[in-house]
Amino acid sequence: DDETDMATRVATRVQRFCKFKRLKRLALLLNLTNLDADEKDHLGEIFRRMDTNMTGRLFAYELERGFKEAGVEFENFHDIFMGLDQDSSGRIQYSQFLAATSNSCHLTESEMKLMFHNVLDRDGDGKISYNDLRAVLGSNFDSTAAKKLIDECDLTGDKHVSMDEFLAAMKS
């Protein structure tokens, strides 16, 4: 059945996405403008079917029920949901769903460098800081999540993410 096959592929992508470092998940979210239109339409249709209360966001019960109805169950659903809920709102936004379920979760090294310089390093000092993340995320900024994101990638302990640390996080 095509529907079950698609649900299984989407579930596999979700599980893979949740294993990425937080910074990679953020970069993929910010890279959605490069998503293929047909894939975006198809994933949007899946999202709308799951969004039974039509809020434009998925609550945990909607996401879990949507996958179950398609024949997919997660052993660790709570962990999966928390990995998708990047802003800790208790809901999965459409853009978060697209970032997690799209087939294009790989950026070339040149795309990664452009993302670093043109999007994430807002002050141009060659590293991603807490203030850079505040500027990038705006009203979606969460100080606890930003600290975790930096700490997860900061290999030198300087409270910043260098280009090398960013590339390592993106390749993991």
Side-chain angles (χ1 to χ4, degrees):
D1 172 71
D2 286 342
E3 187 72 24
T4 302
D5 289 345
M6 182 58 180
T8 301
R9 283 193 304 276
V10 167
T12 300
R13 292 174 193 163
V14 164
Q15 288 175 314
R16 180 187 61 214
F17 181 84
C18 290
K19 292 177 183 174
F20 293 155
K21 291 191 181 293
R22 288 174 179 84
L23 186 56
K24 183 172 183 174
R25 287 185 261 161
L26 174 61
L28 293 173
L29 181 65
L30 295 171
N31 192 51
L32 284 177
T33 55
N34 295 330
L35 188 61
D36 173 80
D38 289 338
E39 183 179 19
K40 185 175 181 178
D41 289 345
H42 189 69
L43 293 172
E45 181 183 320
I46 292 169
F47 181 90
R48 285 185 292 281
R49 272 188 271 150
M50 289 181 170
D51 184 18
T52 56
N53 64 4
M54 294 180 278
T55 61
R57 295 179 211 90
L58 297 177
F59 289 91
Y61 73 88
E62 290 176 301
L63 186 67
E64 187 171 28
R65 183 177 56 218
F67 277 117
K68 280 183 181 178
E69 287 175 358
V72 176
E73 291 195 44
F74 297 101
E75 288 180 25
N76 55 344
F77 180 77
H78 178 75
D79 294 338
I80 295 290
F81 187 81
M82 298 307 291
L84 293 174
D85 183 17
Q86 295 180 54
D87 61 359
S88 304
S89 67
R91 298 175 299 277
I92 306 304
Q93 297 173 15
Y94 178 61
S95 57
Q96 293 169 326
F97 182 82
L98 286 179
T101 58
S102 75
N103 198 29
S104 55
C105 70
H106 300 289
L107 300 173
T108 66
E109 187 158 329
S110 63
E111 289 170 327
M112 289 180 219
K113 288 178 179 180
L114 284 172
M115 172 74 63
F116 182 91
H117 289 295
N118 297 343
V119 178
L120 295 168
D121 179 18
R122 298 302 280 219
D123 60 11
D125 66 356
K127 54 193 171 197
I128 301 168
S129 68
Y130 188 82
N131 287 333
D132 289 325
L133 293 177
R134 181 186 311 274
V136 169
L137 298 173
S139 64
N140 292 322
F141 180 78
D142 175 291
S143 60
T144 303
K147 183 179 177 346
K148 287 179 184 176
L149 188 148
I150 288 175
D151 289 348
E152 189 176 66
C153 299
D154 178 18
L155 302 175
T156 61
D158 65 356
K159 305 295 182 207
H160 296 92
V161 178
S162 68
M163 172 65 83
D164 289 340
E165 291 167 329
F166 175 72
L167 292 175
M170 293 299 292
K171 292 176 182 176
S172 65

